[in-house]
């Protein structure tokens, strides 16, 4: 992932500052693909300069992942290194900061057994649930970023030499992360303020539901009781403001798990667990998926929906204008971190407690009374486009246009 030291340093400083808001004396836990070592080294150096007493890295490797699927015994996919998630949980309880660098080959497991992929995902999620709960409740500051790796860059730019493809992808990431601005930090501060203003407007309107209409989509998403819109930044109980996703263009809230009706079609392929799910649609009745189909990856989609009882219900609904910088690039990233910030989307699975007023202090039982969905998984998929209209529906059934042809109606 050859890139200039200046860009690596600028990106790393953005991740630590705007993303994590790393505090002096706070330990930093990084998870990253092994190909991203140059960036990780730059981030570690900056973190120590900010006063971190320890930076620890957990490496991943696509080649090792594929090796397991090609060679491991077929009955071994319930095996998991429990020590790893125990350690992550201990770090979360201590108040460490977590940075995830996500980059993988979008087609890594396209020719592998979908049942084994589903089993491996379910096993990982079961063992990670308590740690994931800490992140979902924003009990610690965490951030997800991404950087080019050769397989991903080649998928996006198949006609280019690998080095050129990586450079093109780096330029795209720098653009959507505002690294080309004269003052990237100030540009991010203004952007986050704009997202908060949009959340404030939606929270004042108190819609009972959202209705999405577009090609292949006529979906009504009832919203959770006392829902609240969130966007850009979150805050830990210790008072640390942080930006969980860099980049981010969305404002989002919690659907009511039993009040989703209609049909929705994907507008962008979903890269899930190393397989692409393309041109798919889901039908919902009383909040639950009752029918699904996909041009490719249908078995993996069914495995996702069958992860547990809550995986076939929605845990998030998010609005993103078609004019977002990511959408305007006109690139399909095959990476949810970017693609979800190019289009409005929904997520199957777990709801974020912070999307209900005082939800982060509620028990799981109290959250359920408000309509929150419970699941091991949380998978976003994109439904928005410049042909999508979104209306806010009031409790009395009246409605008002919120987005027309993918743009905010102000």
């Amino acid at each position: 992932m050859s890139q200039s030291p200046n860009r690596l340093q600028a990106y790393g400083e953005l991740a630590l500052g705007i993303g994590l808001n790393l505090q002096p004396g706070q330990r930093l836990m990084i998870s990253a693909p092994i190909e991203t070592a140059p960036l990780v080294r730059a981030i570690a150096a900056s973190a120590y300069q900010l006063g971190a007493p320890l930076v620890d890295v957990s490496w991943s490797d696509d080649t090792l992942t594929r090796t397991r699927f090609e060679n491991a015994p077929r009955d071994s996919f319930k095996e998991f290194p429990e020590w790893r998630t125990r350690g992550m949980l201990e770090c979360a309880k201590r108040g460490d900061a977590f940075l995830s660098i996500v980059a993988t080959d979008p087609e890594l497991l396209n020719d592998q057994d979908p049942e084994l992929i589903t089993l491996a995902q379910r096993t990982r999620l079961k063992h990670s649930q308590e740690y994931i709960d800490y992140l979902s409740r924003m009990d610690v500051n965490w951030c997800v970023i991404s950087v080019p790796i050769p397989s991903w860059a080649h998928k996006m730019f198949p006609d280019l030499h690998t080095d050129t493809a990586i450079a093109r992808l780096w330029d795209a990431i720098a653009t959507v992360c505002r690294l080309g601005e004269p003052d990237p930090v100030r540009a991010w501060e203004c952007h986050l303020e704009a997202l908060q203003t949009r959340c404030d407007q939606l929270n004042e309107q108190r819609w009972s539901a959202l209705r999405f209409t577009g090609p292949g989509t006529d979906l009504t998403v009832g919203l959770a009781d006392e829902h609240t819109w969130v966007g850009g930044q979150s805050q830990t109980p210790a008072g640390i403001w942080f930006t969980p996703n860099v980049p981010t263009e969305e404002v989002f809230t919690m659907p009511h798990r039993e009040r989703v009706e209609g049909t929705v079609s994907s507008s962008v392929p979903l890269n899930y667990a190393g397989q692409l799910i393309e041109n798919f649609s889901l039908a919902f009745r009383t909040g639950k998926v009752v029918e699904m189909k996909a041009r490719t990856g249908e078995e993996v989609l069914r495995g996702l929906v069958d992860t547990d009882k809550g995986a076939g219900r929605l845990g998030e609904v998010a609005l993103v204008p078609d004019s977002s910088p990511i959408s305007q690039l006109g690139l399909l990233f095959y990476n949810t971190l970017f693609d979800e910030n190019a289009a409005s989307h929904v997520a199957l699975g777990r709801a974020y407690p912070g999307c209900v007023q005082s939800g982060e202090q509620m028990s799981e039982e109290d959250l359920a009374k408000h309509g929150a969905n419970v699941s091991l998984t949380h998978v976003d998929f994109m439904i928005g486009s410049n042909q999508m209209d979104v209306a806010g529906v009031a409790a009395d059934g009246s409605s008002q246009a919120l987005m027309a042809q993918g743009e905010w109606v102000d």
Side-chain angles (χ1 to χ4, degrees), residues 198 319-325 327-328 342-344 384-391 401-410:
R198 182 66 66 182
L319 300 179
V320 180
D322 186 62
S323 57
S324 81
S327 177
Q328 291 305 299
S344 294
S385 70
N386 60 8
Q387 300 179 70
M388 177 68 77
D389 296 334
V390 184
L402 297 181
M403 304 185 89
Q405 295 184 321
E407 288 302 318
W408 291 108
V409 176
D410 289 319

Side-chain angles (χ1 to χ4, degrees), residues 31-261:
S31 58
I34 198 164
E35 298 99 322
T36 67
L39 175 64
V40 172
R41 294 175 188 132
I43 289 172
S46 295
Y48 284 126
Q49 290 168 10
L50 290 170
L54 175 67
V55 178
D56 191 64
V57 185
S58 175
W59 299 104
S60 60
D61 180 19
D62 275 355
T63 300
L64 286 177
T65 299
R66 184 168 176 86
T67 296
R68 183 186 187 193
F69 278 87
E70 290 177 336
N71 298 287
R74 303 295 87 181
D75 61 354
S76 70
F77 281 78
K78 288 186 178 180
E79 296 290 331
F80 190 83
E82 293 92 344
W83 65 267
R84 189 184 301 277
T85 47
R86 285 199 303 268
M88 298 294 276
L89 180 59
E90 289 176 8
C91 292
K93 289 180 177 179
R94 186 173 45 236
D96 297 345
F98 294 84
L99 179 66
S100 296
I101 302 175
V102 293
T104 188
D105 179 352
E107 298 178 317
L108 179 68
L109 302 176
N110 263 9
D111 57 351
Q112 297 301 304
D113 184 348
E115 290 187 7
L116 291 183
I117 293 171
T118 298
L119 179 57
Q121 285 293 102
R122 186 181 293 127
T123 298
R124 179 183 66 82
L125 290 167
K126 283 182 178 179
H127 285 283
S128 306
Q129 183 176 12
E130 194 172 354
Y131 160 68
I132 291 172
D133 284 346
Y134 266 81
L135 273 59
S136 297
R137 289 183 175 273
M138 310 302 170
D139 286 336
V140 295
N141 46 329
W142 56 275
C143 180
V144 180
I145 64 171
S146 192
V147 290
I149 60 173
S151 56
W152 176 28
H154 180 71
K155 175 63 179 177
M156 287 189 62
F157 305 105
D159 297 329
L160 299 180
H161 183 274
T162 298
D163 289 345
T164 306
I166 289 174
R168 282 281 301 275
L169 182 49
W170 256 117
D171 288 344
I173 291 173
T175 297
V176 300
C177 289
R178 297 171 169 81
L179 289 178
E181 297 288 337
D183 185 346
V185 171
R186 181 56 189 155
W188 266 95
E189 290 172 346
C190 291
H191 175 55
L192 294 171
E193 289 171 5
L195 289 177
Q196 186 56 55
T197 297
R198 182 66 66 182
C199 290
D200 292 342
Q201 293 169 348
L202 290 166
N203 284 327
E204 288 175 5
Q205 292 167 323
R206 306 303 307 162
W207 299 112
S208 176
L210 302 178
R211 185 179 181 190
F212 295 82
T213 53
T217 294
D218 188 350
L219 184 74
T220 299
V221 179
L223 301 181
D225 300 335
E226 298 183 14
H227 68 274
T228 187
W229 287 85
V230 180
Q233 289 189 304
S234 297
Q235 187 179 31
T236 71
I240 302 171
W241 286 97
F242 66 101
T243 308
N245 290 347
V246 175
T248 183
E249 302 289 335
E250 65 178 321
V251 293
F252 61 97
T253 194
M254 184 189 294
H256 193 291
R257 67 181 181 281
E258 297 177 351
R259 299 176 187 166
V260 181
E261 301 285 343

